[in-house]
Amino acid sequence: MLAEAAELEHNILCTYLYAAFSLKREQSEGLTAAELAKVDSWRKALLSICVEEMMHLAQVANLMVAVGARPHFNRPNFPVGKGYHPAAIELALAPFDLDTLEHFIFLERPERAPEHDAKPLGVEEGPERPAPSSRALMPSSPDYETIGEFYAYIRQGIVDLSAAMGEQVMFCGPADYQMRGEELKSADLLVVRDLASATAAIDLIVVQGEGSPGHGEQSHYRRLSEIKQEYLQLQRERAEFLPHRPVARNPVMRAPHARDRVPVTAAGARQLLDAANGAYAAMLATLGAVFDTGRTQERAVLIEGSLALMHTLGALSDRLTRLPASQQDASVNAGVTFTMARSTEGACPGADGLALAGERLGNVLSHLQALEKTADSTPELTGELASAVSKLEAVRRTTTA
């Protein structure tokens, strides 16, 4: 269930980021000054929610380490049809329109909230997920209507197992290898050492997401609901209001085998998409390496490298939304696909994690430096990455001396 929670947080985070990247940035894109100001505020709100979703993913990783597992950063490629998660949940990369916004509200809804999902997002549906047998040996997740209900299952499972096994047996993972709040400048991220910190971590995820109990004022559900009201008001004032660029729904790197995907084939967009997904893969690998060491100095440079790659991904993703996805149809723009590398397991025990992380960052850096020679370059990003590579190498020399 914790692995599914990690995938759910990760998937939802990516869909929020894609929607945020799709938002227009200039009046020349067909917005009035007042509309642009409102759209800018939506982007900031959505990115703020994304930061909290990142913390939720890190919190689930801490919970997994606390019970003796490795953090889980793998996830299915988009789109994710109904059936992989419970039947009510489908996840797609879509521009920030009213249907997408209503789907986000539906995902974050509290139990018994009067919310209905938007019309289908164009995802080819899979079969409904059957309920697991209560006596099965193979682990599986229960069905659930809301994310809060799912976390309630996880919470109760942790409580029951702690009572049956004892907390010392249950929480056997090394606390020093978990992500700490001060490392990410977040007061919310908790190191999980016992039942009290585990349940507090789960409760915080639920409160920040759906706002239960009481639908908190700063919950994702409440903030997204407020954006919807502002969106509807702007539509009433001007029927032609459109806050997003014409980005593809469910772009993919390779030729699709289904009707609900759009291949990115235009040369310029394809190059930038490869760089963006390369930065994403390197970011996940570098982030995973943080959980392989308890050494403060090593963790600091690995986190700095992860953040540099995250900033690179954001800038490349924004640039992609300005470029046609194909040469045949200039009306549909590209977008980042968050394509997963096949391997996310990390380095084997005894391998030089800092050297591998430095190599990953160096590969992305050299690729961007080559792209600087083209019209689609992003030269401002290479400085941050170069600094991160240098610091990784400096710490590596210090620790191996």
Side-chain angles (χ1 to χ4, degrees):
M1 285 196 287
L2 286 172
E4 176 161 349
E7 291 188 22
L8 196 55
E9 297 288 358
H10 196 165
N11 284 332
I12 290 173
L13 166 62
C14 291
T15 63
Y16 287 176
L17 285 171
Y18 189 87
F21 294 145
S22 78
L23 289 169
K24 295 174 179 177
R25 305 291 292 265
E26 300 158 4
Q27 279 186 249
S28 60
E29 296 180 271
L31 297 178
T32 67
E35 290 170 346
L36 180 60
K38 189 60 70 176
V39 170
D40 282 341
S41 73
W42 296 347
R43 180 186 302 100
K44 291 175 183 176
L46 199 52
L47 291 176
S48 174
I49 289 173
C50 287
V51 170
E52 291 181 356
E53 291 289 348
M54 291 175 195
M55 293 304 109
H56 295 176
L57 179 58
Q59 191 65 79
V60 174
N62 281 358
L63 283 161
M64 296 189 77
V65 172
V67 298
R70 286 187 59 80
H72 182 72
F73 294 125
N74 210 340
R75 37 155 287 270
N77 282 321
F78 291 107
V80 182
K82 295 177 179 178
Y84 186 84
H85 296 298
I89 296 179
E90 59 179 329
L91 295 159
L93 299 176
F96 190 94
D97 59 16
L98 195 56
D99 287 339
T100 301
L101 180 54
E102 288 179 346
H103 183 61
F104 291 166
I105 295 169
F106 177 77
L107 291 175
E108 298 280 10
R109 75 194 187 284
E111 291 186 57
R112 297 179 295 279
E115 301 292 346
H116 300 283
D117 203 1
K119 63 185 181 182
L121 298 179
V123 178
E124 292 189 353
E125 295 184 12
E128 292 192 8
R129 189 167 72 172
S133 168
S134 60
R135 298 185 63 84
L137 180 62
M138 280 295 290
S140 56
S141 295
D143 214 11
Y144 48 92
E145 289 295 323
T146 67
I147 296 172
E149 181 186 356
F150 180 46
Y151 274 111
Y153 282 123
I154 294 175
R155 191 185 196 282
Q156 191 60 51
I158 289 175
V159 170
D160 292 345
L161 283 170
S162 295
M165 303 169 66
E167 289 189 49
Q168 285 189 327
V169 176
M170 176 72 179
F171 300 100
C172 60
D176 288 346
Y177 283 60
Q178 296 180 39
M179 194 76 76
R180 298 185 286 275
E182 61 269 20
E183 292 177 316
L184 295 179
K185 297 180 174 59
S186 170
D188 296 331
L189 185 60
L190 302 177
V191 173
V192 178
R193 304 176 187 274
D194 50 25
L195 180 60
S197 53
T199 54
I202 293 170
D203 292 344
L204 181 62
I205 291 173
V206 174
V207 168
Q208 284 189 335
E210 64 182 41
S212 294
H215 304 183
E217 290 295 326
Q218 293 302 310
S219 70
H220 301 176
Y221 172 74
R222 183 61 66 86
R223 282 185 275 174
L224 291 168
S225 297
E226 290 173 354
I227 291 174
K228 178 184 174 181
Q229 297 308 311
E230 294 173 349
Y231 195 123
L232 292 171
Q233 179 60 37
L234 290 177
Q235 274 194 332
R236 286 191 290 267
E237 293 173 0
R238 189 169 73 92
E240 297 79 14
F241 169 70
L242 190 68
H244 65 84
R245 294 167 178 163
V247 299
R249 290 180 179 270
N250 297 318
V252 292
M253 288 187 71
R254 308 285 184 259
H257 299 287
R259 295 185 302 275
D260 58 347
R261 291 138 170 95
V262 176
V264 177
T265 57
R270 190 172 65 244
Q271 280 187 323
L272 284 186
L273 178 58
D274 175 68
N277 284 330
Y280 172 62
M283 180 193 73
L284 292 179
T286 307
L287 187 63
V290 177
F291 292 87
D292 291 334
T293 178
R295 297 177 179 176
T296 301
Q297 193 176 21
E298 291 184 10
R299 293 170 62 87
V301 292
L302 287 167
I303 290 172
E304 184 172 342
S306 299
L307 293 175
L309 289 163
M310 191 182 302
H311 298 155
T312 300
L313 172 63
L316 292 172
S317 298
D318 176 71
R319 178 62 182 144
L320 275 167
T321 64
R322 302 170 185 265
L323 300 176
S326 72
Q327 294 172 331
Q328 291 73 33
D329 185 1
S331 67
V332 178
N333 288 359
V336 64
T337 61
F338 299 103
T339 302
M340 290 295 299
R342 283 187 180 269
S343 173
T344 59
E345 290 81 8
C348 67
D352 188 338
L354 288 182
L356 289 171
E359 181 180 313
R360 291 189 193 99
L361 267 72
N363 286 340
V364 176
L365 174 61
S366 60
H367 190 77
L368 288 175
Q369 288 171 334
L371 287 181
E372 284 183 1
K373 301 174 183 177
T374 73
D376 298 324
S377 65
T378 51
E380 71 277 5
L381 296 173
T382 57
E384 184 178 2
L385 276 176
S387 174
V389 171
S390 297
K391 290 180 181 179
L392 277 166
E393 181 57 30
V395 172
R396 178 172 175 265
R397 286 196 301 268
T398 300
T399 57
T400 57

